[in-house]
Amino acid sequence: MDFLYIKALHIIFVVTWFAGLFYMVRLFIYHSEAEKKEEPAKEILQTQYKLMEKRLWYIITWPSAVLASFFAFWMLYKNPVYLEMPWMHVKLAFVLALYFYHGACHSIYKQLQRNEVKYNSLKLRIWNEVATIILFAIVFLVVLKNAINWIWGVIGIFLVSILLMMSVRLYKKVRAKKSWDKFEKKLMEEDEKQS
């Protein structure tokens, strides 16, 4: 019975870890877009994003990563037979990829905290989809276990990746077409006139 509690806690912290990563990169996107704003909006927005990123990173994302890993190792300790299963080896490879992704996000976080905006919003949107691909792969591996055909699995992940990239490009075109940025600028000008 205690194994199921450990498993439940592991799943909960995996969910909060991914939620933190998804929202963190979304904040990175907004932070980089704020770089194009005029003062004082640029400074106000970037200061707020830095604060939000710091809280999300150190209060939710990092603790979730540590706790998800802790409960995962505990599960493997309690049930080492998992390590003999081929699907678990592939899953652990994707988890390793997730750790590298997390580390890269930490690097971007530190750059933005130092006011170094090195990536535009399109690159960050594409970067955000990497976590989605890892999540798909891990969930399908855990649910299907040996039932998955590895060739079809690789093809499926590749197709999902292409679909996500196309979605990002489509979103960018729709956003440009609807001139949301111009609308936002117009609203800010109207607010300034009212003040």
Side-chain angles (χ1 to χ4, degrees):
M1 183 59 105
D2 60 337
F3 181 81
L4 294 178
Y5 287 111
I6 297 166
K7 189 174 185 178
L9 289 168
H10 171 66
I11 293 168
I12 288 166
F13 288 111
V14 166
V15 169
T16 58
W17 185 11
F18 270 102
L21 287 171
F22 287 142
Y23 189 49
M24 179 57 82
V25 179
R26 178 70 29 207
L27 288 175
F28 292 165
I29 292 166
Y30 299 150
H31 195 145
S32 93
E33 288 176 345
E35 184 71 15
K36 297 175 185 172
K37 304 285 184 195
E38 295 177 18
E39 294 295 347
K42 175 182 169 180
E43 183 180 348
I44 292 167
L45 287 170
Q46 288 187 329
T47 301
Q48 184 62 36
Y49 289 137
K50 281 185 196 179
L51 178 63
M52 292 168 71
E53 290 160 359
K54 186 175 185 177
R55 288 177 178 164
L56 175 63
W57 201 236
Y58 289 114
I59 296 173
I60 295 173
T61 312
W62 263 111
S64 295
V66 170
L67 289 168
S69 301
F70 171 76
F71 289 113
F73 290 127
W74 195 356
M75 279 194 326
L76 292 174
Y77 171 76
K78 299 277 279 174
N79 200 351
V81 73
Y82 276 138
L83 293 173
E84 298 172 14
M85 300 176 181
W87 68 268
M88 180 57 80
H89 299 161
V90 179
K91 179 198 172 201
L92 291 175
F94 279 109
V95 171
L96 182 62
L98 183 62
Y99 284 125
F100 281 114
Y101 179 85
H102 186 106
C105 286
H106 189 76
S107 177
I108 296 169
Y109 163 78
K110 286 169 41 178
Q111 290 167 5
L112 290 172
Q113 292 295 308
R114 293 188 306 261
N115 294 318
E116 298 172 17
V117 180
K118 295 185 177 182
Y119 303 100
N120 63 33
S121 63
L122 177 62
K123 287 181 182 175
L124 290 168
R125 278 178 175 47
I126 292 169
W127 180 245
N128 197 33
E129 301 311 326
V130 173
T132 305
I133 293 164
I134 294 171
L135 177 64
F136 269 69
I138 290 173
V139 169
F140 275 105
L141 280 164
V142 170
V143 171
L144 299 177
K145 296 180 179 42
N146 286 332
I148 191 165
N149 179 325
W150 297 115
I151 295 171
W152 288 110
V154 170
I155 291 170
I157 290 170
F158 183 71
L159 291 175
V160 167
S161 302
I162 291 171
L163 182 64
L164 290 171
M165 298 305 169
M166 289 171 47
S167 298
V168 167
R169 289 180 184 258
L170 178 64
Y171 170 76
K172 186 177 179 187
K173 286 180 183 177
V174 168
R175 184 175 172 181
K177 192 174 184 177
K178 292 194 175 203
S179 303
W180 288 341
D181 291 336
K182 292 176 187 175
F183 179 71
E184 181 181 312
K185 188 174 181 178
K186 182 180 174 186
L187 285 177
M188 289 180 67
E189 288 172 357
E190 288 175 6
D191 284 346
E192 286 176 11
K193 287 178 185 177
Q194 291 177 356
S195 298

